[in-house]
């Protein structure tokens, strides 16, 4: 899948979980969570939130393009997600609901969670699609991070320890999550995320004018193809040379005969 652009509007009551999410997201200004671009009210007094427009590739598709990520790339993709999950479990950041594929990877390789505010509905009045696999934001982040590590070469020495730490964190609490972050950070230094962009089917290459043939190329063409004639035909160079030699010989004989006359 190509990169997508997400531009969402949500509405909800001005009290309760939705209002708490809006207030927290406006004040926290997180780097790896979608930001609030604007807040307003509808005619009935309900809050309306416009989320920041994001352009990126869903995490599963990004992993397909990256291939098997190295340990360093996996650290780059997952540590920010796990740090956000730690903040959410500790209560210092309010997350809504999400799925693992609600994580986008932007062109710089940074992961961003696009969560749905709790208690919200689509601002356009249409019912939002129900997604059976949607969970709390912290759980979705754990599953997204585990998806990345499942793509790492299983022969890597750190895989067994990382897999065990993920199993403990998904079924555990704050202590297990904090330990998971420590285990992932200790595997390798982070490395930049790079991938080749998909080929643009509408890319055009400017037509280049052919370079003029060199004298050697002209001579080779004459020897191989012959000398062009006005009527469109060609005469072989060998036959032309023989004709020139015969003509020169006849002319020389005539001159000799004239000069040796009585």
């Amino acid at each position: 899948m190509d990169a997508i652009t997400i531009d969402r509007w949500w509405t909800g009551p001005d009290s309760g979980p939705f209002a708490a999410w809006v207030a927290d997201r406006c004040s926290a200004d997180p780097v790896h969570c979608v930001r609030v671009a604007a807040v307003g009210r509808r005619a009935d007094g309900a809050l309306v939130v416009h989320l920041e427009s994001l352009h990126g590739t869903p995490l599963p598709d990004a992993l397909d393009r990256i291939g098997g990520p190295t340990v360093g790339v996996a650290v780059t993709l997952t540590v920010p997600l796990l740090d956000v999950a730690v903040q959410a479990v500790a209560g210092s950041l309010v997350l809504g609901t999400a799925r693992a594929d609600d994580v986008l990877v932007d062109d710089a390789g940074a992961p961003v969670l696009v969560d749905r505010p709790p208690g919200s509905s689509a601002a356009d009045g249409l019912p939002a699609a129900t997604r059976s696999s949607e969970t709390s934001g912290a759980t979705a982040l754990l599953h997204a991070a585990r998806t990345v590590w499942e793509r790492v070469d299983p022969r890597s020495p750190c895989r067994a320890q990382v897999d065990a730490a993920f199993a403990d964190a998904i079924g555990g609490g704050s202590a297990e999550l904090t330990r998971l972050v420590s285990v992932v950070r200790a595997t390798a230094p982070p490395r930049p995320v790079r991938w080749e962009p998909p080929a643009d089917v509408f890319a055009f290459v400017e037509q280049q004018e052919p370079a003029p043939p060199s004298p050697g190329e002209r001579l080779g063409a004459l020897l191989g193809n012959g000398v062009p004639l006005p009527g469109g035909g060609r005469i072989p160079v060998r036959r032309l040379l023989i004709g020139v030699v015969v003509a020169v010989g006849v002319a020389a004989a005539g001159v000799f005969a004239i000069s040796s006359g009585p």
Side-chain angles (χ1 to χ4, degrees):
M1 177 186 289
D2 294 334
I4 62 175
T5 299
I6 294 181
D7 188 22
R8 292 178 178 169
W9 295 74
W10 298 105
T11 185
D14 57 1
S15 62
F18 176 73
W21 183 93
V22 173
D24 182 80
R25 196 56 57 94
C26 290
S27 60
D29 193 29
V31 176
H32 297 285
C33 290
V34 64
R35 296 184 175 95
V36 171
V39 180
R41 287 188 182 275
R42 296 193 315 189
D44 60 1
L47 288 176
V48 177
V49 176
H50 181 205
L51 301 186
E52 178 186 51
S53 179
L54 289 177
H55 184 76
T57 305
L59 180 60
D61 300 308
L63 292 174
D64 289 340
R65 288 174 57 184
I66 295 172
T70 64
V71 174
V73 170
V75 171
T76 300
L77 288 173
T78 57
V79 166
L81 303 180
L82 296 176
D83 285 341
V84 172
V86 168
Q87 296 176 53
V89 171
S92 60
L93 180 65
V94 178
L95 294 182
T97 56
R99 299 191 308 186
D101 57 0
D102 286 329
V103 173
L104 293 187
V105 181
D106 64 17
D107 294 335
V112 181
L113 173 68
V114 185
D115 55 332
R116 173 179 174 174
S120 64
S121 59
D124 55 10
L126 299 176
T130 301
R131 303 187 300 175
S132 58
S133 58
E134 200 170 67
T135 61
S136 68
T139 302
L141 289 170
L142 279 172
H143 285 294
R146 185 174 65 173
T147 299
V148 176
W149 281 96
E150 287 174 347
R151 301 288 190 100
V152 175
D153 190 345
R155 296 169 296 181
S156 298
C158 63
R159 270 295 304 271
Q161 187 179 12
V162 170
D163 292 346
F166 267 106
D168 293 339
I170 291 176
S174 177
E176 289 78 9
L177 182 55
T178 302
R179 179 179 176 273
L180 170 62
V181 176
S182 300
V183 170
V184 171
R185 286 184 181 275
T187 56
R191 292 289 182 265
V193 180
R194 297 189 178 95
W195 60 54
E196 291 296 327
D200 186 357
V201 296
F202 297 108
F204 297 94
V205 178
E206 185 178 353
Q207 185 68 31
Q208 299 291 332
E209 292 293 334
S214 64
E217 291 173 340
R218 292 194 184 96
L219 179 59
L222 288 176
L223 294 177
N225 302 325
V227 179
L229 299 176
R234 287 181 177 271
I235 180 172
V237 175
R238 181 179 179 183
R239 184 180 300 176
L240 179 62
L241 291 176
I242 293 175
V244 170
V245 170
V246 171
V248 171
V250 171
V255 171
F256 179 77
I258 295 173
S259 61
S260 58

